[in-house]
Amino acid sequence: MIANHRMTSSVFYQLLCFYLQFHTSFHDQTKIIMTEMEETDDNEGASFVVDEVSGIIKEAIETTIGGNSYLTTKISVWTNSIVESTLASLTKLQKSFKYIVTCVIMQKNGAGLTTASSCFWDKEMDGSCTVRWENKTIYCIVTVFGLAI
């Protein structure tokens, strides 16, 4: 079972990438929706630190969307910018992780949105952080998965 862990991680990554192709990329109120990671003082430098990642995500969203109203023509640019900015900031941390960053931006119009994720990983080292951000016209949900190398 343990020997197949790397293969499972690879398959998980491929499935997640396929799943994310079908998603598009919220402001005044920011909230962490989901986190999975037990932080330990012994491995703090090598572990996935949710508070640190959450701050990076919030900064990327604020910088990119700020006080803008929903514009269909800007969504692709905003989602790409948020994902790239978040990934660049995570990379600057120089931690031994592979990162997966997703961004969903949706117009506030009363439509529903349900998302879910499930991961098979080392809960002591790997982790995830999801930030929900919104303003009067936009919902934005960004999720980062960090897989220790």
Side-chain angles (χ1 to χ4, degrees):
M1 188 67 79
I2 294 174
N4 290 332
H5 178 68
R6 290 209 185 274
M7 184 176 75
T8 303
S9 257
S10 175
V11 170
F12 166 75
Y13 177 75
Q14 291 172 356
L15 288 172
L16 184 61
C17 288
F18 177 76
Y19 170 77
L20 297 175
Q21 290 176 3
F22 298 100
H23 284 74
T24 323
S25 286
F26 304 92
H27 155 54
D28 294 332
Q29 300 172 355
T30 305
K31 148 181 163 179
I32 297 175
I33 295 174
M34 176 193 74
T35 61
E36 282 192 34
M37 179 61 207
E38 293 180 20
E39 296 179 32
T40 59
D41 292 334
D42 300 355
N43 296 330
E44 191 168 320
S47 65
F48 187 88
V49 182
V50 172
D51 291 338
E52 187 173 37
V53 175
S54 175
I56 288 171
I57 295 169
K58 291 173 189 176
E59 177 67 27
I61 296 170
E62 285 289 336
T63 301
T64 303
I65 300 175
N68 290 312
S69 294
Y70 185 89
L71 289 171
T72 304
T73 58
K74 293 287 191 177
I75 300 306
S76 181
V77 172
W78 289 344
T79 55
N80 288 331
S81 178
I82 290 168
V83 168
E84 292 300 324
S85 175
T86 300
L87 192 56
S89 295
L90 289 168
T91 304
K92 288 178 185 175
L93 297 176
Q94 296 183 348
K95 293 189 176 186
S96 295
F97 282 94
K98 290 182 181 180
Y99 295 106
I100 301 167
V101 182
T102 69
C103 179
V104 176
I105 294 178
M106 182 175 154
Q107 183 176 15
K108 274 187 167 180
N109 63 3
L113 173 68
T114 303
T115 64
S117 66
S118 179
C119 302
F120 177 75
W121 59 23
D122 177 359
K123 69 179 183 176
E124 299 298 322
M125 298 300 296
D126 303 335
S128 68
C129 176
T130 298
V131 171
R132 176 180 171 250
W133 182 95
E134 65 181 272
N135 68 14
K136 291 180 180 180
T137 63
I138 299 172
Y139 290 114
C140 179
I141 301 171
V142 177
T143 300
V144 172
F145 298 93
L147 307 170
I149 298 175

